[in-house]
Amino acid sequence: MTDMVSYPDVVQLAVPIFIVAIVLELSWIVIRQRGGRYETRDAVTSLIMGAGNVASGIILGFLAWGFFMLLWAVTPMDLGSAWWVVVLCFVLDDLRYYWVHRFGHRIRWVWASHVNHHSSQHYNLTTALRQTWTGTFTFMMVVRAPLILVGFHPAMVLFVGGLNLIYQFWIHTEAIGRMPRWFEAVMNTPSHHRVHHGRNPRYLDANYAGVFIIWDKMFGTFVPELDSEKPDYGLVRNLGTFNPIRVAFHEWVGIWNDITQPGLTMYHRLMYAVAPPGWSHDGSRETSKRIKARHLTENPHDRGTPGFDQAGK
Amino acid sequence: MPLIVLLVLVVGGIAGIAVLLHIIGLSKAKVFDQESARAAWLREWPQAPVQDIDLSQDHCVALIQSTHGPGLVWAMGADSAARLAKAVKISQHERGLFVSLNSFDAPRIKANLSPQQVNTWRGVLMEPEQ
Ligand SMILES: [Zn+2]
Ligand SMILES: [Zn+2]
C-alpha cells in the first residue's frame, strides 16, 4: 500500500510520564513507609538500562524495521487502519508478547537478553525500565512476522507493541495490592507480575503475560500471588555488579564461556545456547525444573499447590 | 520527539532521581550480622549449609565456610549477593583485601579487614595448590 500510516513513538513520548510516576511512587513509599523499596544504585542502573534500550532501538531498530517492511512488500494482505483493526492488532500482539516472553525464560539465547529485566532485587517503577539492550540479537522479531503477513501494517504492529510496554510500566509496583476482582481475572496486574519477578521456586516460570493475564490461564502458566509467600525479587543467582555494561552482557558472556569450554560435543555446545537457563552438560547447575523438584523434596506438603504440580515439577 | 529533547529528558531524569534518592538517604549499604549473613548465603545457596561466618570490619562482606567450600556474601546496595569462591585472585589494599571472583557478573569485592583477618581470609580463600 502507498498510503502513509503514521503512528507516534509512544515509548519515547511516555518518558516524562515515567519520570513523574517514579517520583510519585517514591514519595508515596517515603511518606507511607510502605509499598516498596528504592535504593540509589539499583534505581540508577535500571534507568540507565532503560535509556540504553531506547538508544539500541534507535541504533538497531532499522534491522527489525527492514525485516518487517520486506514482509509487508511480499504479503498480498492489507487489513487497513480502521480502529477495530488496531484493537485486534493490539490483542494479537499481546499473544505474540506472551510467547516471546515465554521463550525468553525457556531458551537461554533469548534469556541472555531478557535476564536484564529480572536482574534487580527491587520491584518498583524503575524496575519496569530495566530493559534489554540486546533484543535484536535474539531474532524474536520473527514472532511478529505472522501479524504482518496477515495484513497488519508494520507501523501499527510497532505502535501496539509500544502501548504494550507502556501498559506494563505501572504494574511494576508494590504500592498497589490487588485490583478489583474482574480486573485481576482478565488483566495483568501488579500482583500477577510480582509473581513473575519472584525467584521463589513456586513463582519461577509463571505469569508471562504482557497486558492480558488470560494467556497464562489458557496455556497453563498462571500462578496467583499467595499472601502466605511474598515474592523474593531477582535472579536465582543475583548479580554482584551494578555496572550497566556487565548487566547488559553478562549472560551472553556466560553462553560464550560455556560453549567454548574444551571437551564438549557439538550437541552440548548447542544446548548451552538454546536449552533452558541453568542447563549444564554435567548436571552441575539447576534449571527451574530442578529447583522446583528440590523444593518439593524438602517441602512435600507444597506438592499440588500453585506453582507446583502433582508430579513434582 | 526531537532527539535532543529526549536526551535532555533522559539524562536530566536519571540525574534528578539519583540525587533525590541519595538526599533522602537511600544509598546506604546493607550491613550484615551473623544471622543476616547466613540468611543471605542460604538465599542463594540453600544446598550448601554454613559452617562458619567471619564478618568484615564494616560488616558489608562476610567470609562463609560452607559444605561446598568457601564463599562470600556481600552488600549490593540495600541487598546482597553470594558466590562460592573458586579460583579467586586476591590483592591487598591498605585496609584489607580485594577478592576477584573471575566472574563477569560479580567481578571484585572490597573487604575491610583487620590484619589478622587478612591472614585468615587469605588462608581460606587461596586454593591449596597455590
Ligand atoms: Zn520475564
Ligand atoms: Zn517485569
Side-chain angles (χ1 to χ4, degrees):
Chain A
M1 290 298 290
T2 49
D3 62 324
M4 269 303 291
V5 186
S6 157
Y7 296 95
D9 188 327
V10 280
V11 175
Q12 292 184 16
L13 288 179
V15 169
I17 299 168
F18 293 159
I19 295 171
V20 171
I22 287 167
V23 173
L24 286 177
E25 187 199 32
L26 176 62
S27 313
W28 172 268
I29 291 171
V30 169
I31 294 164
R32 291 298 186 100
Q33 294 289 310
R34 64 182 171 86
R37 300 187 307 132
Y38 267 83
E39 193 272 331
T40 308
R41 284 193 291 170
D42 171 83
V44 169
T45 299
S46 292
L47 296 172
I48 291 174
M49 295 308 293
N53 174 268
V54 173
S56 87
I58 292 170
I59 296 164
L60 294 173
F62 75 94
L63 287 171
W65 181 251
F67 172 63
F68 295 151
M69 288 315 284
L70 193 76
L71 295 174
W72 186 246
V74 297
T75 185
M77 309 281 283
D78 184 352
L79 292 171
S81 53
W83 68 268
W84 62 268
V85 176
V86 182
V87 172
L88 184 64
C89 187
F90 181 82
V91 175
L92 292 175
D93 182 66
D94 193 50
L95 175 61
R96 184 275 314 172
Y97 180 88
Y98 171 88
W99 281 104
V100 168
H101 193 191
R102 189 162 168 176
F103 296 149
H105 282 262
R106 301 303 296 155
I107 301 169
R108 193 182 181 197
W109 187 265
V110 190
W111 172 243
S113 159
H114 182 59
V115 61
N116 295 179
H117 181 60
H118 290 275
S119 62
S120 172
Q121 299 185 45
H122 289 249
Y123 190 79
N124 56 46
L125 290 177
T126 66
T127 315
L129 303 180
R130 190 179 277 237
Q131 294 284 342
T132 180
W133 297 0
T134 55
T136 304
F137 307 116
T138 65
F139 311 120
M140 282 296 109
M141 62 259 233
V142 298
V143 186
R144 276 186 163 136
L147 285 174
I148 292 157
L149 291 175
V150 300
F152 295 104
H153 191 279
M156 187 193 299
V157 171
L158 291 189
F159 171 69
V160 296
L163 290 183
N164 198 308
L165 283 182
I166 292 173
Y167 177 86
Q168 292 185 50
F169 174 70
W170 76 277
I171 64 179
H172 290 84
T173 184
E174 293 185 285
I176 295 170
R178 301 281 159 92
M179 300 296 288
R181 277 263 283 284
W182 68 269
F183 197 87
E184 293 279 346
V186 182
M187 306 298 287
N188 197 7
T189 62
S191 173
H192 298 328
H193 200 62
R194 285 194 288 268
V195 164
H196 179 67
H197 278 258
R199 57 191 288 289
N200 321 39
R202 181 192 299 286
Y203 294 149
L204 294 176
D205 295 338
N207 300 5
Y208 297 119
V211 173
F212 302 112
I213 196 68
I214 51 171
W215 309 122
D216 283 286
K217 296 182 175 176
M218 270 169 70
F219 300 118
T221 48
F222 176 69
V223 174
E225 183 183 33
L226 301 187
D227 292 329
S228 55
E229 187 168 337
K230 192 186 170 332
D232 178 19
Y233 305 111
L235 298 170
V236 167
R237 187 77 64 241
N238 280 307
L239 299 189
T241 177
F242 288 115
N243 181 335
I245 306 283
R246 291 183 185 272
V247 173
F249 298 107
H250 71 96
E251 190 68 18
W252 295 107
V253 172
I255 291 178
W256 174 258
N257 289 340
D258 285 337
I259 63 175
T260 54
Q261 56 186 305
L264 296 187
T265 64
M266 281 313 285
Y267 173 76
H268 287 153
R269 293 182 208 279
L270 178 69
M271 290 303 275
Y272 269 120
V274 300
W279 181 90
S280 55
H281 71 287
D282 55 2
S284 59
R285 305 177 197 167
E286 287 187 314
T287 59
S288 57
K289 199 173 161 182
R290 258 181 61 188
I291 292 169
K292 282 178 190 262
R294 176 165 53 75
H295 177 89
L296 286 179
T297 319
E298 290 156 10
N299 306 274
H301 54 274
D302 275 343
R303 202 172 286 271
T305 61
F308 300 111
D309 63 19
Q310 281 294 349
K313 284 190 287 184
Chain B
M1 175 178 325
L3 213 54
I4 185 71
V5 178
L6 184 65
L7 199 70
V8 169
L9 261 178
V10 167
V11 174
I14 295 176
I17 291 168
V19 169
L20 183 63
L21 287 169
H22 191 71
I23 287 172
I24 53 184
L26 294 174
S27 309
K28 286 194 218 80
K30 185 180 178 81
V31 287
F32 297 100
D33 57 21
Q34 293 274 328
E35 259 336 284
S36 59
R38 179 188 306 273
W41 177 261
L42 292 175
R43 176 170 173 241
E44 307 247 351
W45 301 95
Q47 65 278 54
V50 177
Q51 295 166 326
D52 193 43
I53 299 171
D54 188 28
L55 293 167
S56 68
Q57 296 296 305
D58 55 9
H59 288 213
C60 286
V61 188
L63 175 66
I64 305 287
Q65 300 199 52
S66 82
T67 54
H68 285 43
L72 290 165
V73 160
W74 69 100
M76 277 292 296
D79 305 284
S80 62
R83 294 297 160 92
L84 282 168
K86 282 183 185 143
V88 300
K89 287 199 187 75
I90 291 174
S91 57
Q92 199 140 1
H93 59 86
E94 64 270 36
R95 294 172 56 203
L97 293 175
F98 290 116
V99 184
S100 300
L101 285 174
N102 188 30
S103 166
F104 187 81
D105 61 5
R108 194 171 79 155
I109 300 146
K110 184 181 182 183
N112 293 335
L113 306 170
S114 70
Q116 198 185 349
Q117 280 179 309
V118 166
N119 288 329
T120 48
W121 283 43
R122 267 185 190 282
V124 171
L125 289 170
M126 294 307 270
E127 286 184 281
E129 61 265 26
Q130 284 180 322

